[in-house]
Amino acid sequence: RVPRWLTEGMSVIEEHRARPGWERHISPEFLIAYDNGELPPVSRLNEGFIRPRTPQHLGLAYIMGSLVAQWIEETRGFDALVRMLHGYRDGRSTEDIFRSVLGAEPEEVDRQFDRWLREQGDPEKARQFMAFFQTGQRQLSERNLEEARRSLEAAAALFPVAESGSPYAGLARIHLENGDIQEAIEALKTLTLYDETAYSANLELARLLEETGDYHGALEALERAVWIFPYEQEPHEKLAELASRLGDHQRAVRERRAVVGLAPTDMANARYQLALALFQAGDREAARVEVLRALEIAPGFSEAQDLLLRLHEST
């Protein structure tokens, strides 16, 4: 009975509570589409999920659903969202729930949300951003690096990230080509702060931070990356290596378990690396189990044999 915009909006609130870095930011594309009247008002928002104009408009409806839920929580409190759920459970209509829980007629709810949203982001600035950003992207593709830098910096001053990309990604690329590693790092830090899906940017940031000796920063970037996409082996291995180097043995064990869970081609080495991490974490019994599993796969594995001998000697 609950409209999809409300369930999706509440899910975004819960995501942000779980990890603050997962917050969705208002995009320029959303503001432009909203200002152009391409999205239904709050009172008819479910139409954006049931009958979207295009697949892109469905994605924009998700954003609007999260913003409406945020607006309700900010202006009426989280309990209002719970009472709305109770209202749908009891079979009441959206109009009735708006009147009883939000204290306004549907048309007034639409107006109140519209005022709030326009305080959060200016559609005209969004249009300016798109002009600067698209110009900067074209200039970058044409290798006009200095002109591209100016255009992308102008875009970044308006919005840090958009549905179509971030000006900071282009700025990081320009800084790298100019040999300015620290500026590239700062651009990638800003990008990964505002884009909760910036997988490649986090990997690149981790690489640069490790090269400059900032191992803690590299570890944090890799941690964000594996939360975004946990199905590639190499980031887990690199995160485990950094965690071990920094003495964070429990994190290293977690990451070595993740590598084993991904069923790598060299399972014997994956088991051995997990055993070594467990040994360094002080869990000798679990380490012995894992090193024996490695030796079952590769009986002649000399490093695993040495670790098993060390485990026996330490008992």
Side-chain angles (χ1 to χ4, degrees), residues 172 176 181 184-189 191-192 198-226 234-243 245-246:
L176 283 175
I181 304 301
I185 286 173
E186 292 306 314
L188 290 171
K189 281 183 176 179
L191 169 56
T192 56
Y199 179 69
S200 297
N202 273 299
L203 294 181
E204 178 70 0
L205 177 58
R207 182 184 70 80
L208 294 175
L209 289 171
E210 184 180 13
E211 287 180 359
T212 56
D214 185 354
Y215 300 123
H216 285 283
L219 183 142
E220 291 174 1
L222 284 169
E223 182 78 9
R224 290 191 297 270
V226 299
E234 186 176 349
H236 289 287
E237 291 178 333
K238 175 56 70 175
L239 183 51
E241 291 170 12
L242 282 172
R245 178 183 294 180
L246 295 171

Side-chain angles (χ1 to χ4, degrees), residues 59-112:
L60 296 175
Y62 273 93
I63 297 174
M64 186 163 171
S66 70
L67 290 169
V68 173
Q70 179 185 339
W71 168 70
I72 292 171
E73 183 181 34
E74 284 186 11
T75 59
R76 271 79 169 181
F78 184 78
D79 183 62
L81 292 167
V82 177
R83 286 186 284 124
M84 290 179 74
L85 293 178
H86 291 171
Y88 286 111
R89 176 201 61 195
D90 296 338
R92 294 162 62 189
S93 68
T94 295
E95 293 77 7
D96 185 28
I97 290 171
F98 278 9
R99 294 185 188 103
S100 62
V101 178
L102 303 184
E105 293 293 327
E107 296 79 9
E108 178 59 24
V109 169
D110 295 340
R111 287 191 289 269
Q112 290 178 12

Side-chain angles (χ1 to χ4, degrees), residues 228-296:
I228 293 167
F229 187 75
Y231 302 111
E232 285 192 348
Q233 179 179 336
E234 186 176 349
H236 289 287
E237 291 178 333
K238 175 56 70 175
L239 183 51
E241 291 170 12
L242 282 172
S244 294
R245 178 183 294 180
L246 295 171
D248 190 348
H249 298 302
Q250 292 304 321
R251 194 193 304 254
V253 167
R254 185 197 71 187
E255 291 307 303
R256 292 300 178 185
R257 290 196 188 280
V259 172
V260 169
L262 289 170
T265 303
D266 190 354
M267 183 60 83
N269 185 62
R271 291 285 185 190
Y272 163 71
Q273 293 293 344
L274 173 56
L276 185 59
L278 287 163
F279 177 66
Q280 293 170 342
D283 192 343
R284 288 175 169 75
E285 181 55 32
R288 187 182 69 82
V289 170
E290 292 300 333
V291 78
L292 287 173
R293 287 174 173 169
L295 289 168
E296 286 175 358

